[in-house]
Amino acid sequence: MNAFPQTIHFIGTNTPRRVEMSVRNLAVEGEIPAEIEGAFFRAVPDNAHAPMFEDDIALNADGMIAAFTFTDGAVDFAIRYVETERYLAEKKARHALFGKYRNPFTDDPSVKGVDRTLANTTPVWHAGRLFMTKEDGRGYEINPHTLETVGKWDYYGALKSETFTAHPRVDSETGELFFFGYEAGGLCSDDIAYGIADKDGNLVSEQWFKQPYIATIHDFVITEKYAIWPIFPTTADLDRIKAGGAHWAHQQDLESWIAIMPRYGKVEDMQWIKGPVGVSCFHEVNAYDDGDLVHIDLCLTDTVAFSFMREAGGIHRDQQSIQGALTRWTIDMSKADPQIEERPLGPPGDLPRLADADQGRPYNRAWYLSMNPEAQGPPMLGGPVGANFNALLRIEPGNGRLTMMAVPPGAGISEPAHVPSSQEGHGGWLLTVVDIPNGPPGGNPADYSSELWVVEADAVENGPIAKIRTGLALRSQVHGAWVSRARLDASKVR
Ligand code: V55
Ligand code: FE
C-alpha cells in the first residue's frame, strides 16, 4: 500500500507533509520583543512512508524536529527527520517495514531487533544537549544548530532502562533532570526505572520498581521533597500484542494509583495511594509541597482521550462525550494512610505549560489548551488525538482566575512554549503555532496556513503581539521546548 488512509490520523493538520527544509527570514507582522533570542524546538510526527496498516495512528509517525530560531528580531525555520534506526531502515527500503504502534509482531521480518522508537514526542534540553524523546525507547541526541541526529542517548553507557519518558522534569534551581522509563525491562515489562541526571548531564541514580499493572505512564511530577507517578488504568497485554492487536486498552473498571517517594530517596520507601476508578490523564501541570500536603494538578478525564485506546478496551464513547477538568489532587503525607482529596481547578483541556522556574514549586500561573465555548464551528481535525484545541487558557490555580485567547474560526492551536523575561514584573511571552484554514468551513481540510504567534504570557486575552507567517501548512506538533540564546551558545554539540 502506498496511499495514506483518510482517517483523523492523516487528514487536517495531520496531513503528511514529509518535507525537510530550512527557510530564512519568515515574514513578521508586529514587533518581536528584543528579549526573545533563542530557539523554539517542536516535535512533529510525520510519516516518511505510507503506513503498513489502514488503522495506523498519528503517534506511530516518524519524529521530525523543527525549530523557529529568533535572532535580532528575525525568525528562521527548519525541520528535519530524526534519523532513528527505524527511519534509516525504512529510508533504505523506500517503504514502511515497521507495523502497528508499539507492536513488533506486526513488523516485516527483515527489521527484527531493530530499535522501533520514533523519537517523535518531546524535544528535551538538559545540560547543554538537545534530545528527541518518545516513551517507548531511549532519546536521540540532536544537534541544536543543524537539527542533525547525533545518535541514541544512554548517558555514556550508564543507562539501564530501555525506555526514557517524553516528560522528564528539570528543577531549574538545582539543574537536575528527573526522569523515568516504564516497560523499562523490555516490551510489557512491569518495571519502572527512576533516574536523576545532575546539572552536568551525568546519570547519578537509577532505581527500578514494579507497577501494579502495565500502564502507559506518560508523565510524572516532582516537588522539592517528592517524586510522584500518577498511574492510570490504560494497560498493555502481551498476548493481545502477540496476536497483532493494540498495545494499549483502557480498563474503565480499574483503579488509578499514585506512587510517591522522597525524590532523593529509595524506591523501597515508595508509598502507594489508591485513586479513582477508570480515570485518565496524560499530562500533569505541576506539583508542590505545602507543609505536609502535596498538591498535584492534572488534566484529568473520565476515560482515556485517545479513541483507539478506548476501542481496544471495549469503551464506545465519542470524543465530545468525554468529561474532565483541570483537577487538583491533594494528599496529606503526615497521615499513616494518605488519601486523595480531589477538587476542580479549571475547565477541561490538555497540553499544560509552566514557567521553568516554577517546576515542582508553589506557582501562581500556568497555561493550557482548551475549547472556546463561543467558537463558530469546531477546529480542523488533527493533532495527536485527532481533535485540535481552539483556545489558550491562562489559569491562576490559587484563585481560579481564568483568561482566554481564542483563535479564528476553524483554526487549531498547538502547545505553547514559555519564554521568560529578565525584566522585573514582566511575565514573559508564549510562542504557539496556530493553523488557520485558508478557505471557508467545509473546504479542503489540508489547506491551511501555519503562523507562529507571540503572546504576552500574562495578557493572553489581548491576542498576539506579533505573528510570524510561515507560508506553509505544517503538520501538528506534539510538544515543544524553548531554549535561550545563552544556552544554545553554550551547547556541547557545535
Ligand atoms: C502520547 C504521544 C505519543 C505517544 C504516547 O500525547 C502518548 C501523548 C507522540 O507519541 O507515543
Ligand atoms: Fe505528552
Side-chain angles (χ1 to χ4, degrees):
M1 151 187 170
N2 46 32
F4 289 98
Q6 293 300 298
T7 64
I8 53 168
H9 300 282
F10 298 96
I11 65 165
T13 62
N14 284 339
T15 303
R17 302 294 171 186
R18 313 197 303 124
V19 179
E20 298 186 287
M21 64 171 148
S22 63
V23 191
R24 280 171 67 84
N25 301 314
L26 298 176
V28 177
E29 180 190 310
E31 189 95 9
I32 296 180
E35 273 198 274
I36 306 184
E37 278 283 325
F40 174 28
F41 294 105
R42 309 173 73 218
V44 179
D46 196 345
N47 307 67
H49 305 93
M52 278 170 68
F53 294 93
E54 276 292 319
D55 60 353
D56 201 33
I57 59 174
L59 307 187
N60 202 31
D62 298 284
M64 295 192 87
I65 170 90
F68 286 97
T69 306
F70 290 69
T71 312
D72 296 331
V75 185
D76 302 333
F77 176 74
I79 182 164
R80 294 185 82 132
Y81 277 105
V82 183
E83 295 187 340
T84 59
E85 290 178 12
R86 170 171 172 165
Y87 170 81
L88 292 174
E90 292 187 340
K91 182 179 180 186
K92 197 157 167 234
R94 293 186 177 272
H95 62 86
L97 297 168
F98 293 81
K100 293 185 180 175
Y101 176 68
R102 301 188 68 169
N103 190 330
F105 301 99
T106 61
D107 293 348
D108 186 286
S110 67
V111 292
K112 196 170 163 55
V114 178
D115 185 14
R116 296 186 96 252
T117 194
L118 292 152
N120 69 1
T121 310
T122 312
V124 172
W125 183 271
H126 185 240
R129 295 183 194 276
L130 177 66
F131 307 101
M132 280 286 280
T133 57
K134 186 180 184 71
E135 63 199 48
D136 68 349
R138 290 173 173 174
Y140 272 78
E141 186 176 11
I142 304 293
N143 181 321
H145 311 290
T146 64
L147 307 188
E148 287 164 310
T149 301
V150 179
K152 239 192 290 191
W153 183 252
D154 64 4
Y155 288 100
Y156 314 103
L159 184 67
K160 295 195 182 65
S161 179
E162 292 183 25
T163 62
F164 186 97
T165 179
H167 290 284
R169 299 265 174 179
V170 175
D171 183 322
S172 58
E173 242 164 72
T174 68
E176 295 160 309
L177 176 138
F178 298 83
F179 71 92
F180 67 98
Y182 72 89
E183 297 192 27
L187 185 69
C188 289
S189 91
D190 57 1
D191 301 297
I192 300 177
Y194 167 42
I196 305 174
D198 68 12
K199 65 176 185 0
D200 302 316
N202 294 307
L203 185 65
V204 291
S205 136
E206 180 178 356
Q207 307 181 66
W208 286 39
F209 62 100
K210 298 273 187 193
Q211 57 164 325
Y213 41 69
I214 308 159
T216 169
I217 310 178
H218 186 65
D219 193 0
F220 86 137
V221 272
I222 54 161
T223 70
E224 290 169 272
K225 288 195 254 178
Y226 296 104
I228 307 162
W229 291 262
I231 296 174
F232 301 95
T234 304
T235 63
D237 178 82
L238 191 55
D239 290 333
R240 182 176 64 231
I241 294 169
K242 281 185 175 164
H247 193 106
W248 300 123
H250 193 63
Q251 311 291 316
Q252 202 62 53
D253 302 322
L254 209 57
E255 63 278 343
S256 55
W257 288 94
I258 285 179
I260 179 166
M261 62 175 273
R263 79 180 200 181
Y264 300 114
K266 293 261 170 281
V267 290
E268 289 74 34
D269 299 327
M270 189 74 74
Q271 281 179 266
W272 292 87
I273 303 168
K274 238 180 216 179
V277 167
V279 296
S280 174
C281 162
F282 280 83
H283 302 110
E284 286 87 39
V285 183
N286 197 10
Y288 65 92
D289 305 308
D290 172 4
D292 289 329
L293 303 181
V294 178
H295 301 297
I296 304 161
D297 297 345
L298 64 171
C299 300
L300 197 67
T301 49
D302 64 347
T303 187
V304 73
F306 289 89
S307 58
F308 63 91
M309 299 181 193
R310 293 196 298 277
E311 281 155 21
I315 301 159
H316 304 290
R317 285 180 53 183
D318 61 10
Q319 206 65 28
Q320 288 70 38
S321 77
I322 296 172
Q323 308 285 309
L326 185 70
T327 300
R328 173 161 292 183
W329 280 0
T330 298
I331 48 186
D332 183 344
M333 295 303 289
S334 70
K335 297 263 171 68
D337 183 18
Q339 300 295 312
I340 296 173
E341 275 185 43
E342 177 174 311
R343 72 179 178 90
L345 289 184
D350 204 350
L351 299 170
R353 296 307 299 175
L354 194 68
D356 288 344
D358 287 340
Q359 188 68 253
R361 298 193 158 72
Y363 68 116
N364 56 26
R365 57 188 183 143
W367 302 270
Y368 65 110
L369 303 184
S370 187
M371 298 306 283
N372 172 9
E374 274 146 38
Q376 301 159 33
M380 282 181 293
L381 293 174
V385 171
N388 276 303
F389 291 106
N390 60 10
L392 170 69
L393 300 182
R394 176 187 180 278
I395 189 159
E396 298 183 5
N399 57 29
R401 183 170 173 260
L402 202 66
T403 45
M404 179 178 87
M405 178 182 80
V407 296
I413 184 167
S414 55
E415 181 189 85
H418 178 250
V419 183
S421 168
S422 60
Q423 299 162 55
E424 189 63 39
H426 192 289
W429 299 272
L430 302 177
L431 304 175
T432 179
V433 171
V434 179
D435 298 315
I436 303 169
N438 292 328
N444 176 356
D447 182 22
Y448 57 90
S449 299
S450 301
E451 300 182 347
L452 178 62
W453 287 13
V454 182
V455 182
E456 295 271 359
D458 286 338
V460 300
E461 68 281 10
N462 293 346
I465 58 166
K467 291 179 183 175
I468 296 134
R469 299 192 200 278
T470 65
L472 303 163
L474 301 176
R475 195 166 171 172
S476 278
Q477 161 192 337
V478 185
H479 297 293
W482 170 255
V483 179
S484 68
R485 172 73 51 199
R487 286 188 164 162
L488 286 177
D489 287 348
S491 70
K492 289 187 176 139
V493 174
R494 309 310 308 168

